[in-house]
Every structure is written in structure tokens, then in C-alpha cells.
Amino acid sequence: MSAQHTTASSVSHQSVSHSGPLSIEEQTQLLNLQRAILKSIAQGAEHLEVIKQTCLLAESLLTNSFSSVMLMDDHYQQLNVYVAPSLTPEQIQKINGLRPSPGGGSCGNVIYQKTVQYVSNTFTDERWEDIRHLAHEFDVRACWSIPIFSAENKVIGTFALSSFEHREPSLFHRMLLEIGSSIIGIALNRNHYQESLRQFEKVFEGSEQGIMVTDTNLKILSVNPAFTKVLGYSIDDVKGKTPKMLSSGLHDQLFYRAMWESITHFGHWRGEVWNRRKNGEIFPEWLSISEVRNELGDITHYVGTFSDISDLKSAQKEIQYLSSHDALTGLPDISLFKDRLETAISIAAPSNRKIGLLALNLDNFKFLNDSLGYASGDKLLKLFAERLKGCLHETDAISRHGGDEFIILLNNIHDDDSINYMVDMLLTEVSSPFAFAGRNISTSCSIGVAVYPTDGHDFEKLFGRARKAMSQAKEEGRNTARFFTEKLNTDSLHYLNIAYGLREALAHHQFELHYQPQISLKDAQVIGAEALIRWHHPQNGMQPPAQFISIAEQTGLIVEMGEWIIEAACRQGMQWQKNGLPPLSIAVNVSAVQFRRGNLDKVIIKALEKTGLNPQLLELELTESILLEDIDHLLAQLDGLKKLGVKLAIDDFGTGYSSLAYLKKFNIDRLKIDQSFVRDINTDPNDAAIVRAIVQMAHTLNLEVIAEGVEDEAMLKHLRESGCDEVQGYLFSKPLPADAFEAFIKNSQL
Ligand code: C2E
Ligand code: MG
Ligand code: MG
């Protein structure tokens, strides 16, 4: 088998082989060769094309020869043919895998010795010792080979001219080889550079990380698609601007100064930065900034790569949350709770406020857990936790202390009753049954209370005492609460008993209204009655309102009681009319809490509609404390009631601070002078003067005046002289049950 003896003809001339300086013709040939190749490079020819062209031109300048470019493989172990335009694939196959060695032929030796090799007789030269068979097979007699260098000046391959004649290279041939190898080197390096550029582009475009390139003035030159995806800005939005436009405003100047100091000193910076997206949202990113320098060592660019770490952050937050919260109930763990208590104490101490620490334990949880199974028990605990949490204010805190025990912090406590109120609410909430797993589960809890500062100044002391009190509550029959301090305990017991009793009273109709007549001083006729509530306590007998109204107000039960009172009073008024009494005005006492928490206007409309009482006959007795309410809301409610025709009176007038003129704004019809002025009217000239002044002023404002607590004739005389319109008091009658009141009227009419 022999090599194809072909030559290219684009540079058509016979090679001249002689030594000595180049002839004009030879110089022209070399120049033509360079021009031809440069032209195709300039026209953007593919590097392989350029190398092939170089080979063919070289072959055309040496008759009876073929050219080849061999490159070292990636492991730098062996040479393989890269381009050999005049060899067949089978021939190329045979040459491939050539190893650099002293006997490895011209090309093998170029790599081995890193210098040009001119072998003029391959049949005898020892440099061909290992591959002599190839010389014979290809009929190659001379072979000149020259190194191809990389941009880093490393020998990466060979450019060879093999001849079918034994021959020595002339200067022209040597130059031909040199020019060829350097052009091939350039073409390869250029391709390598373009290849890495293409690779960089691929990385830049496809990177998951956002990339931004700026010049040395920090003007943005380019950004990649990930940048646009994360920040929302396209290249057109940011080109020519500085990264300052992304700033979230969360970092101060010191932060950026430290960043640039690091870049100046070490050439890079890495860290977490909060930036702002195009839609205004701020987010955390992990950013790395590096400077880029040219061969001269001058900085030419800055490259910033970043990734959005918001997800990571929220995961971190979640981990932090989970590690500081009870997995079952989601409540803060004990150490977080302790922190809250310490903070609360540091705030409460200077302002003389109190803090309540409650230890709460479910009474029958073990039984429920055993009978429902553990999974359901867990669900139940979760529901309990939610219920308890629902009772608390934002400033309070709750934590689970293992099993079915909870600790609660009550903050901003002004008086002991505020704690009682919360304790009562927790007991009631926990004991109200709830639907669970297809049945109605009812349970209860025992609560122990310790109070800061009375019972201790730190968590250990307070918690220890709260638990002790809780054990007592358990011993005393469960479903109750105990304070660590005895005095508070008694107060609390009273409060809890009344609160509990009032709920029972509502459910079991233990309330009754008594009526006290109101008499006109003009004609000594009974013109109306004040309804006053009484509680028939199953054990303690008849209870006056002083015993329970304030607790009913604190617990909010007064709202429900009030609804009953108003309707019962209206119904009674109608009943008397049916029984033949003249139409009497019915006065009902209304608490400020009813205005605040209830929808009083609706309640009254409903009562009037249900009973059919003439609204003109209903009078609401309000106290001055009502003025502490939200005035606009109050005015609107009172206005609505006035429009219905309902009358308004101010009870216990003179005990508050309000001026008459101010009260008039509320469209009041009547004043009730407080008992305290009436009581001493006989003996204290001051009180007599005050009563006279009140009556006069009220009359100029077109208000009627009624005096309450009239117990004897002397009082009555004073009041009559002062110009009072009506009176009410034991002198005429104590508050009476409805039928006794009816009898009283009938008797007085006789
Ligand atoms: P109040 O509205 O000022 O009622 C007058 C109180 O004076 C009544 O006491 C009445 O029994 C008492 N009283 C009447 N005449 C005399 C007298 O000549 N001498 C003396 N010493 N006392 C007399 P009661 O019934 O114990 O009510 C006390 C307070 O409880 C009431 O004061 C009122 O503020 C409140 N109250 C009573 N019933 C209700 C009610 O249905 N709803 C609300 N929100 N409060 C009520
Ligand atoms: Mg009253
Ligand atoms: Mg009164």
C-alpha cells in the first residue's frame, strides 16, 4: 500500500530545493501562501479548513510529498492525526497512536525532544527505529517535522512534510514548515479560545446563578437570564447603571465600605446581601464579587454572581421556629417562655404592675388519653392549646410543660380582679364541651396562680409556687383555681363562686326583678317604677345586686343578664296595664358594659316588639361612667334609642365628674340625684345647697329631677322646697316583688 502522491494546485509551482538564501521566487511563494491563508482566516473560515488549506499549500510547494498535522491526546501520551488531506482514513488509522520516544519517528521525536526533526532517510535513521515498518509501508523516505505550540508555549503537536524521496530540507522548506506550524498553532489556539468563549457563554446563559459584569466604574455591562429571573430586570433596564439601583436600603455605608475593602485587598468578597427586585420586594442573596484582571495585571471588570437564598432563609427560620416550639401544639418552648417572663418583669417592675403566672393542668386527660387512644389524645391536646391561646391577649404568653400541663403568663395586670377574670374565663372555656371524634367531650382543668411581685421575682420561684397552688386546686376537687397567696385566694374564690353561680342563675332562672315606686311631688301619684334585680341563690338566699353586679360586669355576663332584665321589665309593665293599673313608666338600670359589648339598641327594640310596651314608658338609667366610652359610638346608640321614644336618665347624679351641660349633649330627660346628697340633706347645709343648685340648673336645661333614697318626711320637705319633681325611697316603699307592687298601687289608689 502506498500513499497517494497528490498535491494541491492553488499555489502552483515546483518547489526548489537548494540551500542558501531564499530566491525572490521562493519569497513570493511563501508570501502568497501566507496571504492565501490569512485571507481565509479573515473571511471567518473554520479552523479545520484553515489547517487543511495550509497542509495542501505546503504539499503543493514540495513535489512527491504529503503533509500531516498530529496532535497530542488529552493525556499527553500519544500523537493522533488531526489533519492529513492526502491520506486515506485507513492510512491515518495506521499512524494514529504514535508514542513520543527516541525511536518514534520524526513526529515522535519532535514531542520527545521538543525541537524540529529533519529526517532525510527514514530507512536508516535511528529516530525511525520503532516505526520503520511504516516508512516501508507508506514508502516514506524523508520526513521533516516541526513542533506546534500552544498559546502557553507548550508543544501540543507536530506539522510534518513526508516525502517519497530521500531529501534534505532547504531553507525554503524549513521556512515553509515554520510558517505552516505557526499558522496552524494560531488556528488551533484561536479555535481553543473561541471554544472556551462558547463554553463561557453557555455557562453564562445557562447558569442557575445570577451573573452581572460591570466595568471598573461599576457600570453594568451584561447580565445573564438568571439575573433577570431573580431580580426582574432585563439587560436593557440595567445596562449602564450601577448595582446601587438594586440596593434594598437595609445595609449602611459601613457594610459596603467593608465589602470594597475586601475586594481591593483580596480581589474578591463573599457574603449575604439584601437587594430589591424590580417589583419592590426585598430578598436575601448570597453574593460573590470578584475582580477580573488582564495580562498586564490591570483590573478590567468586576463579576458578581449570586443566588436567591430566600427559600433557604425561610427554611432556616422554620428550623429555628421548630427548635424553639413544641412540635405538637406549636406553642413556644419553656426557654422562650422564660425569656418572655423576664422581659415582662423588666417592664412591670418600674411601673408597679403585676404579672400572673398560671400553672394549668387538665383534670381528666389521662383518662381521655387511655380511652381515646394516644393519637386522639394528641389531637385533643392541640385543640386545648388552641382554646387556651384564644383566651389570651397578645402580650400574654403560653407554653406546654410536658404532657397536659401548661404555663401561662398574664401580662399588664392592673388589679387582682383582672387575674380572676382571666382565670374564670380559662376555667369556663376549658370546661365547655366540644365535639371531638364523633362525640362530645367535656373536661376541666385545675389552675394554680402565683403573682409577681408578691410571690416571687423569677421564673423558678413563681412557677414553683404556681404549681403548688395547682396541686391544692386538684386536692380541692378540681375544675377550680387556687392562688398561692391566701388573701388572693379568698378573693378569687369569692369571684369564681359568683361568676360560676351567675351562669347557673341565668340557666336556672334564679333572677327576679323587684320594683320601687316613683312618686310625683306635684300630685303625690305613683308615676313609675324602677326595676331592681334580685338573685335567689339556692344556698345563700336572696342576694342584693351589690353582691354580684360588678362581677357580672367584669365577666361580661351582664350583657346576657341585661337582655333578660329589659325584656322582663317591659313584660311586667304591660302585664300591670292588663291588670288594670294606669300606664306606668318603667326604669331599667343599664351598665356601661352593655353599651360596650352588647348591641343594646337591638336588644331594646326586640324587647319592645316582643312585649308591645309603649317606648315612651321605658326609661334607661345610665351612670356617668358611661361617658368613658367611645363618645361617637355612644351618641349614635343613644340617638337611635331616643328616636324610638325611649327616655334616658342619669342615675346617681353628682357622684361623677361630668357637667350638666355636657350631659345635655346626650339628650337626657331626667336626673336622679344620688342618695348620698339626700341622706344628709337634713343635717348638712352644703348638701341641701347642692341639691337646690342641681335642681335649678337641671330645670333651666329642661331636665326633670328625681331624688332617690328618701327615707323620712324631713327629707321629703327639703326636696319639695328645692323644687324636685319626683321622689323614690323607703318612705313610700321598698322595692317590691311584682305582685306586691301591684297591690301597693291598688291600695294607694283607694
Ligand atoms: P340604684 O340604681 O341607684 O338603685 C337604688 C338603690 O337604692 C337600690 O338598691 C334600692 O333598693 C336602694 N334604695 C331605694 N330607696 C332607698 C332608701 O330609701 N334608702 C336606702 N338606703 N336605699 C334605698 P339595690 O336594689 O340594692 O341596687 C343597688 C344598685 O345595683 C342599683 O343602684 C343599681 O346601680 C344596681 N342595680 C340594681 N338592679 C340592677 C339591674 O337590673 N341592672 C343593673 N345594671 N344594675 C342594677
Ligand atoms: Mg337606678
Ligand atoms: Mg341610684
Side-chain angles (χ1 to χ4, degrees), residues 261-275:
E261 264 168 25
S262 164
I263 298 171
T264 319
H265 277 97
F266 309 110
H268 59 82
W269 179 88
R270 252 178 226 101
E272 197 183 304
V273 176
W274 285 80
N275 271 344

Side-chain angles (χ1 to χ4, degrees), residues 229-233 245-250 273-285 308-311 314:
K229 196 171 151 205
V230 173
L231 281 151
Y233 288 111
M245 69 176 290
L246 310 173
S247 147
S248 63
L250 284 188
V273 176
W274 285 80
N275 271 344
R276 190 179 294 278
R277 303 191 216 270
K278 193 178 181 182
N279 65 11
E281 186 191 348
I282 59 169
F283 73 103
E285 62 179 38
D308 184 344
I309 52 169
S310 353
D311 289 350
S314 56

Side-chain angles (χ1 to χ4, degrees), residues 516 530 533-534 545 565 589 651-652 675 708-709 711 730 735:
Q516 188 175 36
E530 178 179 7
I533 195 166
R534 304 289 180 258
I565 293 165
N589 293 285
D651 203 352
D652 304 337
Q675 289 189 18
E708 57 183 347
E711 293 184 352
Y730 295 168

Side-chain angles (χ1 to χ4, degrees), residues 360-363 426-427 430 443-447 478-480:
L360 185 150
N361 192 281
L362 296 175
D363 288 334
L426 289 166
L427 284 172
V430 170
T443 178
S444 62
C445 67
S446 301
I447 302 178
R478 299 160 186 246
N479 189 22
T480 186

